[in-house]
Amino acid sequence: MGKIKAEYIWIDGHRPTSKLRSKTKIIEGPVSELSQIPEWGFDGSSTMQAVGHDSDRSLHPVTFVMDPIRGGDHILVMNEVRYPDGKVHETNKRAKLVEIAKKYADQEAWFGIEQEYTFFRGRSPLGWPDGGYPAPQGPFYCGVGADEVFGRDIVEDHMEACLLAGINISGVNAEVMPGQWEFQIGPSGPMEVSDQLWLARWLLYRIAEEYDVNATLHPKPVKGDWNGAGAHTNFSTKAMREEGGYAVVEDACKKLGAHHEAHIAVYGAHNEERLTGLHETCSIHDFRYGVSDRGASIRIPLATVKEGKGYLEDRRPSANMDPYEVCARLMETICS
Ligand code: ADP
Ligand code: MN
Ligand code: MN
Ligand code: MN
């Protein structure tokens, strides 16, 4: 037994998009199960989760991973925000997903989330000339070479950190706009994918700090003829992955079409700047699904058609979406 550093991470009440917060607690370790991690608290009046005269809010640990930055027995702890009496706070979107995940557990939903993001140093995307623009888009997607990709060291460090932490990261790639990148989490169940996506976001910000770089999840970080940043959400149920699954995928697409607005409502702020119908998107006002179609709201991957089973890709969620809300909405629409 000895002292370890536990980094308590939570989601604040910032509107329209919540931000990550964290602080360190020294606890007795090593820790092998959640029940060994104590509840904690914070000043909710500084995170838009309380007013000053009644400001205590609770941090309720929900999952933890080994801390890949501090190493040793140190840990990162993901928390739900609650009131001191245990009541779920309004800004806590995770609690609802726990219920929905339980309700439809028999359908064995899997999610794979493609998190796009953009590095900035100061006011410009990383690698862009100060106050100016680089060459037009074209060579940068999955590019190689110092004139085409910017920030690879950070991306490599982040990917390694995710693996060390046991996060189910499934890949990374340089994106269409220079300075923009993507990592994917999954396929995993709804709780795992969303807790791990939030932890992976925290690791990205934290590791980029070391390089004096910040990562933004804004869906349209540069106006004009530049790609936005999304969080394509790949989804399947057991029935979709089994023989005859293609019909179940198509049926899900039809259900999604009937609830377009309800989905857009939780797919991220400023998403209308990104979903214009240009730059590999479908307009926010339209709903379309199609095979291999990167201009559709929902893309059915070619492999799913060929094998007659598989998954669908919801291309609408923006990079700054809350995975707790997106996973809950997808399960409500498709699993019910
Ligand atoms: P894209 O071709 O759209 O760039 P990516 O390879 O970036 O696709 O991401 C696809 C994601 O879908 C990965 O995270 C992958 O793990 C996930 N995925 C694969 N199969 C399934 C499935 N059956 N259900 C849900 N997600 C899946
Ligand atoms: Mn991708
Ligand atoms: Mn992408
Ligand atoms: Mn995609």
Side-chain angles (χ1 to χ4, degrees), residues 7 10-11 23 40 203 205 277 296 310 326:
E7 190 72 12
W10 75 97
I11 297 161
K23 58 175 183 165
W40 202 16
L203 281 168
Y205 298 135
V326 170

Side-chain angles (χ1 to χ4, degrees), residues 141-287:
Y141 169 75
C142 298
V144 60
D147 55 338
E148 293 192 353
V149 294
F150 310 100
R152 196 189 292 278
D153 288 354
I154 313 174
V155 171
E156 289 285 326
D157 278 6
H158 175 254
M159 180 163 47
E160 183 62 21
C162 287
L163 289 171
L164 285 171
I167 288 171
N168 190 20
I169 189 167
S170 46
V172 304
N173 62 268
E175 270 301 338
V176 175
M177 185 181 103
Q180 206 166 73
W181 294 81
E182 167 181 318
F183 64 83
Q184 303 105 29
I185 304 289
S188 308
M191 300 320 304
E192 294 77 14
V193 83
S194 2
D195 287 339
Q196 291 186 6
L197 180 60
W198 278 113
L199 287 167
R201 285 173 173 178
W202 187 89
L203 281 168
L204 180 67
Y205 298 135
R206 175 64 191 84
I207 289 165
E209 260 180 29
E210 305 285 324
Y211 294 84
D212 222 7
V213 164
N214 83 289
T216 176
L217 303 186
H218 196 286
K220 193 75 179 184
V222 185
K223 314 293 168 224
D225 201 13
W226 302 96
N227 271 41
H232 297 166
T233 302
N234 300 275
F235 177 89
S236 65
T237 57
K238 188 162 179 275
M240 293 179 186
R241 297 187 295 268
E242 286 176 352
E243 247 14 82
Y246 189 74
V248 188
V249 170
E250 272 210 300
D251 186 47
C253 291
K254 287 178 187 138
K255 284 179 172 172
L256 288 168
H259 295 92
H260 180 61
E261 284 78 20
H263 281 255
I264 290 297
V266 294
Y267 277 10
H270 316 297
N271 206 7
E272 70 286 350
E273 296 176 29
R274 166 182 162 260
L275 296 181
T276 57
L278 301 171
H279 304 114
E280 305 173 56
T281 70
C282 182
S283 162
I284 198 165
H285 305 296
D286 300 330
F287 177 89

Side-chain angles (χ1 to χ4, degrees), residues 10 12-14 21 42-50 57 91:
W10 75 97
D12 75 6
H14 196 269
R21 307 273 180 151
F42 68 102
D43 166 18
S45 71
S46 299
T47 62
M48 283 145 275
Q49 287 166 310
R57 295 292 174 263
T91 59

